[in-house]
Amino acid sequence: MLFVLPVLVLLLAATTLLVLHRIRPNFKYPWFIALVGALLALAGVFLWKLDFPARFSLPAWQPVNVLRFTPTWAVDGASWTYSLALVTLAAAIILTSVARTEKVPTHWAGTLALTALGILCVSAGDPLTLIMVWTAMDLAELITMLRTTEGAVPTRSVVTAFSVRVVGTGLVIWADASSSTTLGAMSFERLAAHSGIYLILAAGLRLGVLPLHLPYQRENVVRRGFGTSLRLVSASASLILLARIPSSALDPAWTPYLLALTAIPALYAGWMWLRASDEITGRPFWIIGMAALAVASSLRANPAGSISWGLALILCGGMIFLYSSRHRSILWIPLLGLWGLSALPFSPSAGAWTSPDSASWLLLLLFLPAQALLLAGFFRHTSHPGEKSFESQERWTRIFYPAGLLLLAACTVLLGVWGWDGALQVGAWWASVPAFLIAMGLVYLSGRYLARSPGTVARWGDVIRLEPVYRAINAILRAFENLARLVTSTLEGDGGIFWSILLLILILSLFSARGGG
């Protein structure tokens, strides 16, 4: 099957890098192996078009009565576009790494392995498969963050982020279980009419949108290379759920309230992205802001629109986060990201504002300023000085580094005109043009008024992010932790044997009383 080709290539290249780094730490060509693996995987994703659409399933698990459904992956418009964006991002990370100090083979291997997991996520053909790959990705991210995080507070935030994502996974299980009891099938196409709300909340929790939370405000992993891959691949794995929710599974009565609730993190994240000191500091807000726009499109019965915002999150975000060495001669490449994000005609986000739900047009006005803030912040961050000067790079570096950025820009242009349902669309130009003009006005005003009243903005940010709620939850968790520590110290003390015998007697008495009844 053509589906497994890019996944196998990525995993083979990642394994080869790790083995060579282990047995020959001074091996001279790890970058070349990583690049070849990424480019071959990119060619493999393009080959999907030869067998499109298609489905791939593992052999049936035995015994069949234990697990009726086997993991299945689907090659369709949504999975192809996301997979193409993810593999392009991986290739761009490796190409642009020549201009950074991130030249560790294990980081490249991690980028390739994460991309393979991302392809398996966005291609999941049923909720069971998506849950399984989600679990693998969440565990990989948890281990990575715990190994690179120091201190009690950052470690607790990592565990909190993992716990929130597990809750989101649980909501998908609940939605699927409720659909299975009514319709007897485990698939996205046959979800029950009341289960869409659970899937929206699951995606919102995993993306940090509903409710707004920022689990990784300070990241200790590699900032631009592997860190960009970790954040954007993880976001795409949750964004694909929005593209899989059928309109019949959404209750129209909940739509206005959820749209109004989603507008809050969209506006807040857009504002914080605009006023961030640099693009890496503002990366969590970029992801939340773009994810909020994707959630809004899904709520407006426009799953293709959610894919549009997801592609902009990956491709345009990759351009700005990998743009470390800067010069006027290559400034036009990341500025193409403005076009990809603008929702103007024939851009990949052109169909983002279209919707058959006429009742939600008024609420659309809440999201246009959020898009304008994200556009303005993108332009502002491209104009900042980079970490290094482009002229100071070696001659061969000045070829491969812009080639990596150009690869992302080329993928943005390609998906704007070809390859999926959202390509070659005029879209709602009457909405995108005002948003673009507002963004340009914000760029002009941001230089004068952006730094004013930072304390007020921070206080409102604590309220919007529901910090009191999370502090209360942490207090409850600490209380349980202290209780568990007290029980442990009691059982391990001098009277531990006495208390153990007493608990055993109580348990036996309960069982005997139940047996006698």
Side-chain angles (χ1 to χ4, degrees):
M1 284 290 293
L2 294 175
F3 168 76
V4 299
L5 180 61
V7 177
L8 290 179
V9 168
L10 289 169
L11 292 178
L12 179 62
T15 304
T16 303
L17 285 172
L18 292 176
V19 171
L20 287 176
H21 182 67
R22 183 71 176 178
I23 62 177
R24 295 185 62 184
N26 297 324
F27 183 68
K28 296 182 179 180
Y29 307 106
W31 178 83
F32 180 74
I33 293 176
L35 179 61
V36 169
L39 293 179
L40 287 177
L42 185 60
V45 172
F46 272 106
L47 289 177
W48 284 5
K49 283 290 186 178
L50 299 178
D51 188 16
F52 193 89
R55 295 182 73 87
F56 172 79
S57 298
L58 293 179
W61 290 353
Q62 300 294 330
V64 178
N65 56 357
V66 175
L67 187 62
R68 295 174 52 195
F69 301 97
T70 57
T72 302
W73 287 270
V75 177
D76 55 14
S79 60
W80 184 79
T81 50
Y82 271 121
S83 298
L84 182 64
L86 291 177
V87 179
T88 302
L89 176 67
I93 288 173
I94 296 168
L95 280 169
T96 57
S97 65
V98 297
R100 300 187 298 271
T101 58
E102 304 169 13
K103 300 179 181 178
V104 183
T106 53
H107 294 162
W108 296 330
T111 296
L112 297 177
L114 277 175
T115 304
L117 280 176
I119 293 176
L120 294 177
C121 272
V122 300
S123 304
D126 55 66
L128 172 64
T129 306
L130 182 61
I131 290 168
M132 292 177 59
V133 188
W134 267 0
T135 304
M137 181 168 288
D138 292 344
L139 289 174
E141 182 173 350
L142 176 66
I143 294 171
T144 301
M145 294 302 298
L146 288 177
R147 292 185 61 182
T148 57
T149 301
E150 298 178 357
V153 175
T155 301
R156 183 166 294 172
S157 69
V158 172
V159 176
T160 301
F162 177 76
S163 303
V164 170
R165 292 185 177 181
V166 169
V167 173
T169 303
L171 287 174
V172 177
I173 296 174
W174 179 266
D176 185 72
S178 62
S179 297
S180 298
T181 56
T182 56
L183 297 173
M186 183 178 287
S187 66
F188 290 111
E189 293 80 10
R190 299 187 62 188
L191 289 169
H194 63 276
S195 60
I197 180 66
Y198 302 120
L199 299 181
I200 289 289
L201 291 176
L205 276 172
R206 294 182 61 86
L207 291 166
V209 175
L210 294 171
L212 175 63
H213 60 278
L214 295 170
Y216 302 124
Q217 297 187 57
R218 297 179 180 178
E219 303 180 70
N220 295 326
V221 296
V222 178
R223 287 165 61 86
R224 291 192 183 270
F226 181 67
T228 296
S229 175
L230 185 65
R231 291 289 157 259
L232 300 188
V233 173
S234 179
S236 66
S238 300
L239 283 168
I240 189 61
L241 182 59
L242 299 174
R244 301 298 187 191
I245 302 175
S247 57
S248 59
L250 293 173
D251 188 354
W254 286 96
T255 300
Y257 304 103
L258 290 175
L259 279 172
L261 186 62
T262 306
I264 297 174
L267 291 168
Y268 172 72
W271 170 247
M272 295 301 292
W273 164 251
L274 174 63
R275 67 186 298 271
S277 58
D278 59 77
E279 62 276 5
I280 299 299
T281 303
R283 183 164 58 194
F285 301 105
W286 165 263
I287 294 173
I288 289 178
M290 296 298 297
L293 296 180
V295 170
S297 292
S298 184
L299 285 170
R300 300 178 64 245
N302 182 15
S306 70
I307 299 175
S308 298
W309 294 125
L311 293 176
L313 187 154
I314 298 169
L315 297 174
C316 303
M319 284 187 220
I320 187 65
F321 299 141
L322 299 178
Y323 187 43
S324 56
S325 298
R326 305 187 176 182
H327 190 263
R328 288 184 178 181
S329 61
I330 59 172
L331 180 61
W332 62 273
I333 301 178
L335 284 181
L336 283 175
L338 284 175
W339 177 75
L341 181 60
S342 65
L344 292 171
F346 309 117
S347 67
S349 55
W353 292 132
T354 59
S355 173
D357 185 7
S358 58
S360 62
W361 283 113
L362 183 61
L363 290 170
L364 177 62
L365 298 177
L366 296 174
F367 293 94
L368 291 179
Q371 183 197 4
L373 288 167
L374 291 167
L375 278 166
F378 191 96
F379 183 85
R380 177 174 176 264
H381 293 311
T382 56
S383 62
H384 288 166
E387 295 176 355
K388 292 183 178 180
S389 172
F390 181 68
E391 298 94 331
S392 63
Q393 302 291 333
E394 299 179 13
R395 184 184 297 271
W396 68 278
T397 300
R398 283 182 281 175
I399 297 175
F400 287 103
Y401 170 73
L405 298 176
L406 190 59
L407 189 62
L408 289 169
C411 186
T412 302
V413 174
L414 175 67
L415 292 177
V417 297
W418 177 79
W420 64 297
D421 294 338
L424 209 62
Q425 289 193 12
V426 176
W429 61 268
W430 54 265
S432 57
V433 170
F436 192 83
L437 294 177
I438 293 172
M440 295 302 100
L442 288 171
V443 170
Y444 175 75
L445 296 174
S446 62
R448 296 185 177 184
Y449 305 105
L450 195 59
R452 295 189 179 183
S453 304
T456 303
V457 173
R459 287 192 295 271
W460 276 104
D462 289 341
V463 175
I464 296 174
R465 291 199 306 267
L466 303 179
E467 290 295 333
V469 175
Y470 289 110
R471 283 196 291 266
I473 294 175
N474 285 329
I476 295 173
L477 293 176
R478 283 195 297 271
F480 279 109
E481 182 182 347
N482 294 331
L483 179 61
R485 190 181 294 112
L486 176 62
V487 173
T488 302
S489 61
T490 301
L491 293 177
E492 291 179 352
D494 296 334
I497 298 177
F498 170 75
W499 286 109
S500 299
I501 295 174
L502 179 60
L503 288 173
L504 180 62
I505 293 173
L506 288 174
I507 292 172
L508 291 175
S509 63
L510 288 174
F511 277 108
S512 61
R514 179 173 296 181

